[in-house]
């Protein structure tokens, strides 16, 4: 089998187009092609009057493949990836996995496949019950602090579009995508350069993974919070939990901490138990919301109606040297109220699988460093997040309505009134001045970034685009230090994992970290 790169395909390509392009590129006849599979496809929109897909395919030929490889520089020998892992260690106790986001779910899945019957503890509800709580919050502003956009089965990523693009080069990422497809995701995620599942489909994928883990002997404890960990002689010996007012101690000598970046009370407990936590850089800012049609025209010109809803990724340095960048772009999506604590408000973005909403949105973030924190506490970044979220809650009216402002008003060039862009956040919003929300360095960074982005992407010039505050949870401001065996530095058998522990930055990288932790647990 060979891999062939840089095949040019039309925007609405079909199998026949792939076959034609391959034969033309390699100067072969159709009869010489035994099989073709699309490996990767990305939109090349550098020339708006000539947009096409740049594709890589794998193929089995009915001719000398090595001769073709020698002849064409865009070809190479290809061996299909296959995830392979063999456990070499038997566990004395059932492993506990704390958290059912992508890190916890994939750790539990690998552990279950290897016969360890993991116990998954999730403070939130199952994904269906969680969805009901979120919809109730959007309708009535009644926040369930244990079941919301942040907490519950699937983690925060479930309600943020299910974007699967990642910067990790770990081969396990392929296994993550293949596993998602196995449990119901679209096959397109295997070859799209910027794959996404969509919240509507991802919820079913997560349920299917949970049911398979249970079939393999695993157990899920929903609405159950870990309140303490039992440590003896530098080793984990169990976890204390509370569910419906009832406390229980689960004995174990293996625990995966896949707690997510919003389990702030758990971070406090871990610090008090003597775990080594560190401050780490993170970012905060706003959600910017524009008409999806404007983004499509800016990116694709006359091809806009023939291509999927457009995305973008932009970054600049402000005058102080801070990074200002877009993050978690949601084409055809919604801005969502991602609050998880009483009296605090934060935002996120999400899309459904079709990405057919009227607006598109993304976070616009300003880099924040430990030297910006007001103390040396490992949890100083969390306090900084909380302070901003409290300000956002109060600025919005103290009723979970989000503070918003038009881009034109924020930049001081037009009035602050709703134009063609209708805000999508629920349960509601309040027009205000976002300068009241942020420290000066964040406000200045946002203004410089938005101005610079308008020169790179025309849609950013829309003065009636909406800014919604505050985007505070792009990544964890804390890292739980671990050793080369991925254990907590000073506690044997305790495995900090995923985004909350500071070792991942999205669904795929978190899932990969979960797999790595499970492998380490099962390896002598």
């Amino acid at each position: 089998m060979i891999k062939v790169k840089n095949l040019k395909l039309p925007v609405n390509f079909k199998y026949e187009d792939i076959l034609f392009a391959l034969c033309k590129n390699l100067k072969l006849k159709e009869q010489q092609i035994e099989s073709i599979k699309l490996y990767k496809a990305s939109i090349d929109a550098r020339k708006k009057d000539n947009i096409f897909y740049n594709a890589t395919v794998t193929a089995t030929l009915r001719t000398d493949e090595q001769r073709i490889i020698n002849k064409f520089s865009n070809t190479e020998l290809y061996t299909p990836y296959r995830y392979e892992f063999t456990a070499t260690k038997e566990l004395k106790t059932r492993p506990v996995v704390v958290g059912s986001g992508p890190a916890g779910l994939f750790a539990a899945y690998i552990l279950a496949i290897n016969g360890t019957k993991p116990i998954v503890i999730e403070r939130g509800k199952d994904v269906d019950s969680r969805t009901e709580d979120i919809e109730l919050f959007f309708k009535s502003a009644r926040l369930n602090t244990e079941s919301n956009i942040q907490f519950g089965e699937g983690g925060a990523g479930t309600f943020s579009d299910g974007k699967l693009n990642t910067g990790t080069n770990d081969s396990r990422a392929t296994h993550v995508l293949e596993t998602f497809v196995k449990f119901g995701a679209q096959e397109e995620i295997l070859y799209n350069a910027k794959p996404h599942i969509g919240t509507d489909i991802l919820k079913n994928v997560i349920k299917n993974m949970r049911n398979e883990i249970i079939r393999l002997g695993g157990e899920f404890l929903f609405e159950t919070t870990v309140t303490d960990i039992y440590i003896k002689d530098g080793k984990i010996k169990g976890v204390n939990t509370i569910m419906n007012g009832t406390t229980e101690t689960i004995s174990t000598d293996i625990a995966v901490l896949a707690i997510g970046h919003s389990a702030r009370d758990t971070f406090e407990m871990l610090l008090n138990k003597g775990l080594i936590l560190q401050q780490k850089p993170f970012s905060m800012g706003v959600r910017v919301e524009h008409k999806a049609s404007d983004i499509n025209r800016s990116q694709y010109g006359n091809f806009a109606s023939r291509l999927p809803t457009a995305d973008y990724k932009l970054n600049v340095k402000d005058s102080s040297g801070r990074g200002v960048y877009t993050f978690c772009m949601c084409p055809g999506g919604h801005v969502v109220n991602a609050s998880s604590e009483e009296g605090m408000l934060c935002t996120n973005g999400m899309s459904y699988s079709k990405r057919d909403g009227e607006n598109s949105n993304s976070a616009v973030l300003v880099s924040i460093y430990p030297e910006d924190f007001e103390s040396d506490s490992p949890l100083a970044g969390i306090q900084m997040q909380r302070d901003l979220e409290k300000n956002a809650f109060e600025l919005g009216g103290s009723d979970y309505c989000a503070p918003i402002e038009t881009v034109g008003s924020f930049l001081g060039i037009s009035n602050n009134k709703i134009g063609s862009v209708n805000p999508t956040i629920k349960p509601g919003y309040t027009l205000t001045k976002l300068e009241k929300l942020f420290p000066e360095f964040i406000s200045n960074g946002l203004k410089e970034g938005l101005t610079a982005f308008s020169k790179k992407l025309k849609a950013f010039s829309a003065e009636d685009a909406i800014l919604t505050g505050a985007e505070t949870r792009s990544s964890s401001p804390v890292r739980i230090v671990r050793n080369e065996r991925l254990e907590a530095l000073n506690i044997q058998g305790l495995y900090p994992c995923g985004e909350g522990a500071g070792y991942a930055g999205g669904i795929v990288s978190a899932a990969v970290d979960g797999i790595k932790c499970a492998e380490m647990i099962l390896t002598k």
Side-chain angles (χ1 to χ4, degrees):
M1 184 175 288
I2 66 171
K3 181 190 291 184
V4 186
K5 302 177 182 178
N6 299 325
L7 295 183
K8 186 175 179 180
L9 301 177
V11 293
N12 295 318
F13 68 84
K14 299 178 181 178
Y15 171 81
E16 291 77 13
D17 298 308
I18 302 173
L19 178 60
F20 176 80
L22 181 65
C23 290
K24 181 179 179 181
N25 188 269
L26 301 185
K27 296 180 171 53
L28 296 173
K29 297 179 180 180
E30 290 186 12
Q31 300 92 305
Q32 294 176 286
I33 310 296
E34 182 175 314
S35 65
I36 307 175
K37 186 174 183 180
L38 194 56
Y39 181 85
K40 192 70 68 178
S42 60
I43 297 171
D44 189 325
R46 289 173 294 179
K47 297 180 179 180
K48 298 296 185 286
D49 59 345
N50 184 27
I51 296 178
F52 60 91
Y53 277 90
N54 187 305
T56 298
V57 303
T58 59
T60 301
L61 307 181
R62 296 189 182 98
T63 186
D64 187 346
E65 292 183 345
Q66 188 58 54
R67 178 183 66 82
I68 297 296
I69 292 171
N70 294 340
K71 186 175 181 181
F72 296 96
S73 61
N74 64 327
T75 63
E76 61 184 57
L77 188 65
Y78 174 73
T79 301
Y81 170 81
R82 179 181 178 185
Y83 175 73
E84 294 181 332
F85 169 74
T86 302
T88 60
K89 178 181 178 181
E90 293 186 7
L91 306 187
K92 297 178 182 179
T93 60
R94 292 176 71 183
V96 167
V97 177
V98 185
S100 66
L105 200 60
F106 273 83
Y109 180 56
I110 297 300
L111 290 168
I113 287 173
N114 286 277
T116 65
K117 300 180 180 180
I119 302 170
V120 182
I121 302 174
E122 170 55 57
R123 69 189 300 165
K125 297 183 181 181
D126 66 88
V127 72
D128 288 332
S129 300
R130 177 188 182 194
T131 299
E132 293 177 3
D133 288 334
I134 291 170
E135 291 176 349
L136 179 62
F137 174 53
F138 289 169
K139 290 178 181 178
S140 65
R142 291 166 55 188
L143 176 66
N144 185 330
T145 57
E146 298 296 330
S147 179
N148 45 62
I149 291 287
Q150 307 292 350
F151 296 141
E153 184 179 21
T158 304
F159 291 89
S160 63
D161 184 73
K163 278 177 286 295
L164 303 176
N165 44 305
T166 178
T168 181
N169 293 319
D170 195 302
S171 60
R172 296 176 184 85
T174 300
H175 181 56
V176 171
L177 299 182
E178 291 176 344
T179 302
F180 280 138
V181 171
K182 175 181 177 181
F183 289 108
Q186 316 91 309
E187 288 194 13
E188 293 81 38
I189 69 172
L190 298 177
Y191 60 78
N192 280 342
K194 297 178 180 179
H196 87 109
I197 297 178
T199 292
D200 48 334
I201 293 178
L202 186 56
K203 289 189 287 188
N204 291 322
V205 172
I206 288 166
K207 284 192 291 185
N208 292 338
M209 287 191 70
R210 179 227 305 164
N211 290 334
E212 177 64 6
I213 291 168
I214 292 172
R215 188 189 71 80
L216 293 168
E219 183 179 358
F220 280 74
L221 304 178
F222 292 111
E223 300 181 71
T224 303
T225 302
V226 172
T227 57
D228 201 358
I229 56 176
Y230 178 40
I231 302 168
K232 184 178 181 181
D233 299 327
K235 299 178 181 179
I236 182 77
K237 291 298 180 181
V239 298
N240 292 339
T241 67
I242 184 168
M243 180 177 65
N244 295 328
T246 301
T247 60
E248 180 184 0
T249 298
I250 300 174
S251 298
T252 185
D253 55 14
I254 296 291
V256 177
L257 286 178
I259 59 176
H261 57 37
S262 294
R264 293 164 171 174
D265 52 351
T266 306
F267 284 120
E268 292 172 2
M269 178 269 288
L270 296 174
L271 184 63
N272 291 334
K273 297 298 293 189
L275 270 74
I276 300 174
L277 277 63
Q278 292 178 339
Q279 299 176 348
K280 66 178 281 291
F282 69 112
S283 303
M284 294 196 291
V286 295
R287 277 273 151 185
V288 62
E289 194 165 14
H290 352 243
K291 301 284 283 186
S293 56
D294 290 345
I295 300 296
N296 293 343
R297 281 193 298 270
S298 290
Q299 295 291 65
Y300 298 147
N302 293 332
F303 283 78
S305 63
R306 301 163 57 189
L307 286 164
T309 312
D311 66 359
Y312 56 76
K313 187 176 182 179
L314 303 168
N315 65 85
V316 295
K317 293 279 189 182
D318 70 9
S319 56
S320 71
R322 290 181 189 272
V324 185
Y325 60 98
T326 63
F327 174 78
C328 187
M329 198 275 167
C330 297
H334 311 269
V335 177
V336 293
N337 193 320
S339 303
S340 62
E341 291 182 285
E342 293 284 356
M344 300 182 196
L345 189 149
C346 64
T347 64
N348 202 352
M350 65 165 281
S351 300
Y352 294 111
S353 56
K354 293 183 179 180
R355 288 179 163 175
D356 56 358
E358 181 180 340
N359 295 350
S360 290
N361 70 80
S362 73
V364 180
L365 303 176
V366 178
S367 298
I368 297 172
Y369 308 102
E371 50 265 35
D372 297 314
F373 303 164
E374 295 183 355
S375 82
D376 294 329
S377 166
L379 305 184
I382 288 178
Q383 188 57 50
M384 192 175 186
Q385 289 176 322
R386 277 178 161 157
D387 289 343
L388 193 58
E389 290 172 17
K390 182 175 182 293
N391 290 344
F393 178 77
E394 294 173 351
L395 193 59
S398 299
D399 57 0
Y400 293 107
C401 286
I404 71 168
E405 185 175 9
T406 64
V407 169
S409 173
F410 187 66
L411 296 179
I413 57 178
S414 63
N415 294 328
N416 191 21
K417 61 180 182 180
I418 303 298
S420 66
V421 182
N422 295 307
T424 56
I425 193 163
K426 297 176 181 179
Y429 57 85
T430 301
L431 277 166
T432 185
K433 294 289 187 179
L434 293 181
E435 277 193 348
K436 300 176 183 178
L437 174 59
F438 296 108
E440 186 177 5
F441 78 89
I442 294 182
S443 287
N444 290 342
L446 290 172
K447 288 178 180 179
E448 292 184 32
L450 290 167
T451 301
F453 296 160
S454 68
K455 298 174 182 177
K456 295 185 176 185
L457 190 63
K458 186 178 179 181
F460 267 88
S461 300
E463 295 178 10
D464 63 348
I466 299 293
L467 302 178
T468 306
E471 183 90 3
T472 58
R473 313 263 187 110
S474 61
S475 63
S476 177
V478 176
R479 176 173 288 112
I480 306 174
V481 183
R482 62 190 190 186
N483 61 24
E484 68 279 357
R485 283 195 55 79
L486 309 187
E487 295 170 305
L489 195 59
N490 55 342
I491 302 176
Q492 186 176 335
L494 188 63
Y495 293 80
C497 181
E499 190 164 344
Y503 296 97
I507 291 175
V508 173
S509 59
V512 166
D513 202 52
I515 293 172
K516 290 164 64 177
C517 286
E519 291 174 349
M520 196 63 75
I521 289 167
L522 295 165
T523 305
K524 288 183 180 179

